[in-house]
């Protein structure tokens, strides 16, 4: 089996349109495949994607569609990593940094509480 890259992560969200706007504004994603089907709504770029599903119920954190995720990660260069931190600070989005010895990561949450990671192996 030879996999090229992660295609997308599917997550349940409370407000699909608000989440689309957040992922496009904060991560620079675009709405992919508009008008093809009602659900899920895909956002992403050439390297990664997120499928946004309307969540069932009024859950406050991830796992609202019967399955939960710990986090999902996007890889970037050192320059992209530094730029991501600046962008999050400018938007007043709190994040934590971790040094994993082989990589550096920042962790933050989307409006529904899903944890995202941006990581670089350029240490």
């Amino acid at each position: 089996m030879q996999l090229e890259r992660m295609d997308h992560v599917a997550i349940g969200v409370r407000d699909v349109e608000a989440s689309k706007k957040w992922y496009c504004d904060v991560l620079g994603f675009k709405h992919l495949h508009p008008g093809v089907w009602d659900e899920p709504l895909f956002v992403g770029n050439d390297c990664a994607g997120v499928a946004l599903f309307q969540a069932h119920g009024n859950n406050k954190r991830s796992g609202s569609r019967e399955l939960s995720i710990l986090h999902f990660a996007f890889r970037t260069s050192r320059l992209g990593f530094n730029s991501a931190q600046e962008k999050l600070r400018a938007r007043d989005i709190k994040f934590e940094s971790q040094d994993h010895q082989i990589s550096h990561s920042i962790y933050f949450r989307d409006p529904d509480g899903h944890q995202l990671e941006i990581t670089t192996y350029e240490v």
Side-chain angles (χ1 to χ4, degrees):
M1 181 183 315
Q2 286 188 310
L3 303 176
E4 295 177 7
R5 61 179 170 83
M6 180 179 72
D7 183 71
H8 70 274
V9 174
I11 61 174
V13 299
R14 286 176 289 190
D15 184 329
V16 172
E17 284 300 318
S19 292
K20 175 183 90 170
K21 181 176 179 353
W22 190 89
Y23 277 87
C24 291
D25 290 350
V26 174
L27 298 184
F29 282 174
K30 292 185 173 25
H31 182 185
L32 304 175
H33 322 298
V36 176
W37 54 92
D38 292 334
E39 189 177 61
L41 186 145
F42 277 91
V43 293
N45 59 27
D46 291 337
C47 297
V50 178
L52 304 170
F53 287 85
Q54 182 63 52
H56 301 247
N58 294 320
N59 295 321
K60 302 280 186 213
R61 303 299 273 191
S62 65
S64 56
R65 266 186 93 90
E66 290 76 55
L67 296 174
S68 65
I69 57 172
L70 296 177
H71 69 266
F72 49 100
F74 300 98
R75 183 188 287 195
T76 189
S77 65
R78 171 53 65 179
L79 183 62
F81 185 75
N82 294 339
S83 175
Q85 292 177 74
E86 291 173 15
K87 187 168 190 174
L88 292 173
R89 280 187 196 103
R91 293 177 175 276
D92 206 24
I93 296 173
K94 295 184 186 330
F95 63 90
E96 87 173 48
S97 303
Q98 289 188 11
D99 182 343
H100 302 292
Q101 295 180 346
I102 62 164
S103 66
H104 292 163
S105 297
I106 54 174
Y107 297 89
F108 57 101
R109 295 196 180 270
D110 76 1
D112 288 288
H114 300 105
Q115 187 176 55
L116 287 73
E117 174 185 358
I118 297 178
T119 190
T120 182
Y121 288 86
E122 296 175 17
V123 295

